[in-house]
Amino acid sequence: MKVDLFDFDLPTDRIALRPASPRDSARMLVVEGDSLRDAGVRDLPTSLRPGDLLVFNDTRVIPAQLEGRRGDAKIGATLHKREGPRRWRAFIRNGRRLRDGDAIDFGQGVSATANDRADDGSFALDFAGDEPVELLLERAGTMPLPPYIAAKRAIDERDADDYQTMFAAEKGAVAAPTAALHFTPALMDALAAAGIGHTTLTLHVGAGTFLPVKADDTVDHKMHAEWGRIDPATAERMNNVRANGGRVISVGTTSLRLIESATGEDGIVRAFEGDTSIFITPGYRFKGIDGLITNFHLPRSTLFMLVSALMGLEVMQAAYAHAVLSGYRFYSYGDASLLLPTRKD
């Protein structure tokens, strides 16, 4: 499909620079079939059904943004995927000043050697020393806020908490599964009281999620791989919920992409551990999920393509036009949408 089909006008003042406070006070647009309804995140217990299951991503964002020098040249690095115990693939700023074998000093006693430049301009960074790379990043790294926020304000101490979900446990993401930022212990208690369950999986979100689609046609776009895991008990629980008439509602596109990667054509979710580079566009037949909670996404992005595949392009164009006119806040720190497609049995 032509990428231009997924473009829309978005005023820059709709981009949220801070999350709602408290988190569950964010607005929520409910899109059910082709109908739209304004609500709030706190309305989720009555917007879902008893027996439904919410699936969260328990990945934890690491301080994956690094600033360093190679000689006199300033070098910026954003880690996006672990390739070994001390090796991370990274997108590089000022990469034209870097060659394979060059050492980069990131300060605080942290350095790495750049190797294996890829066609997309990324390098593999091999970190020096014996300390775990996670400790090195805690010393020298900063929280990797999305570029559309970082371009408008400086990263600060608040972001270290604001950009983690309440489920964050497994270190390894360089971007937050932002739909889950809206959830609080009080909201989880209300959902449980309404008979709505929850479980977790792990997908370490990579910086590739922020990359623009430069191709003119979706068939020419290459997704970056991300590592994920669904354990056998979690897969079994999702299957049991659907077998008993409940719905599996993915909280975030990251959870959705992993579930769909682990689901067979028979609709059965299986245990999964490994990389996924699934790219979902209109025409895709969803096999493992029945709904999605997600934020509002960039024009021409793979994520807007995904929600258009779930609900239909015309429905999502109307929903986003309504969201813009109604003052919904967009992107990582923005408001939420609950997408419930018409079930095709």
Side-chain angles (χ1 to χ4, degrees), residues 26 66 82 84 92 107-108 120 142 154-155 172 185 219 274 277 339:
L66 294 163
R82 182 188 287 277
I92 301 295
Q108 303 294 320
D120 62 6
T142 58
I155 301 168
V219 298
S277 55
L339 309 180

Side-chain angles (χ1 to χ4, degrees), residues 29-303:
L29 179 62
V30 180
V31 186
E32 191 161 7
D34 58 2
S35 68
L36 308 178
R37 175 168 58 87
D38 296 310
V41 170
R42 289 173 180 162
D43 296 318
L44 270 172
T46 55
S47 298
L48 299 174
R49 302 173 191 158
D52 285 346
L53 180 72
L54 296 173
V55 185
F56 295 91
N57 185 355
D58 68 1
T59 190
R60 185 171 185 84
V61 183
I62 59 175
Q65 194 85 43
L66 294 163
E67 300 294 334
R69 286 185 173 273
R70 185 208 55 77
D72 294 331
K74 292 183 179 180
I75 301 293
T78 301
L79 309 187
H80 76 89
K81 189 175 186 296
R82 182 188 287 277
E83 293 187 340
R86 307 197 62 74
R87 169 175 281 211
W88 277 79
R89 176 66 51 177
F91 295 118
I92 301 295
R93 295 185 304 286
N94 204 19
R96 66 184 184 280
R97 302 292 298 274
L98 202 59
R99 299 289 182 271
D100 280 5
D102 285 348
I104 309 168
D105 182 2
F106 293 114
Q108 303 294 320
V110 178
S111 63
T113 302
N115 290 298
D116 297 338
R117 181 180 183 131
D119 291 341
D120 62 6
S122 67
F123 283 84
L125 297 184
D126 293 302
F127 285 87
D130 298 319
E131 291 180 278
V133 173
E134 288 77 10
L135 292 181
L136 301 181
L137 296 178
E138 291 292 340
R139 285 211 304 271
T142 58
M143 194 62 75
L145 280 188
Y148 42 76
I149 295 176
K152 291 179 174 290
R153 66 164 177 82
I155 301 168
D156 57 31
E157 292 182 2
R158 282 181 55 185
D159 293 306
D161 179 65
D162 285 348
Y163 203 53
Q164 299 283 13
T165 76
M166 65 174 286
F167 307 96
E170 302 291 333
K171 292 181 180 179
V174 300
T178 54
L181 292 177
H182 301 295
F183 287 79
T184 63
L187 178 56
M188 294 306 298
D189 288 344
L191 287 161
I196 298 159
H198 77 278
T199 191
T200 60
L201 47 71
T202 304
L203 181 79
H204 291 324
V205 192
T209 190
F210 300 130
L211 291 180
V213 178
K214 296 180 178 180
D216 293 327
D217 196 289
T218 57
V219 298
D220 298 318
H221 178 70
K222 178 178 173 55
M223 293 285 285
H224 283 81
E226 297 166 315
W227 182 91
R229 178 181 61 232
I230 299 176
D231 62 40
T234 300
E236 182 179 12
R237 187 170 181 195
M238 286 190 275
N239 292 328
N240 288 341
V241 162
R242 299 183 93 192
N244 291 322
R247 298 178 297 181
V248 171
I249 309 294
S250 173
V251 181
T253 57
T254 62
S255 295
L256 182 151
R257 292 177 62 245
L258 187 58
I259 293 169
E260 289 298 313
S261 298
T263 305
E265 293 297 326
D266 56 2
I268 301 299
V269 184
R270 293 170 176 84
F272 182 99
E273 183 167 355
D275 287 349
T276 177
S277 55
I278 188 172
F279 181 23
I280 296 174
T281 58
Y284 178 86
R285 184 178 69 84
F286 289 85
K287 305 181 293 291
I289 63 98
D290 305 292
L292 170 67
I293 298 169
T294 187
N295 290 10
F296 293 94
H297 302 295
L298 281 164
R300 301 171 63 91
S301 66
T302 62
L303 301 182

Side-chain angles (χ1 to χ4, degrees), residues 8-17 27 152 296 320-335:
F8 57 89
D9 292 325
L10 181 70
T12 58
D13 63 1
R14 295 293 187 272
I15 300 173
L17 300 183
R27 299 174 70 189
K152 291 179 174 290
F296 293 94
Y320 272 48
H322 173 83
V324 170
L325 288 174
S326 302
Y328 280 80
R329 303 162 73 245
F330 273 63
Y331 305 160
S332 294
Y333 279 155
D335 294 317

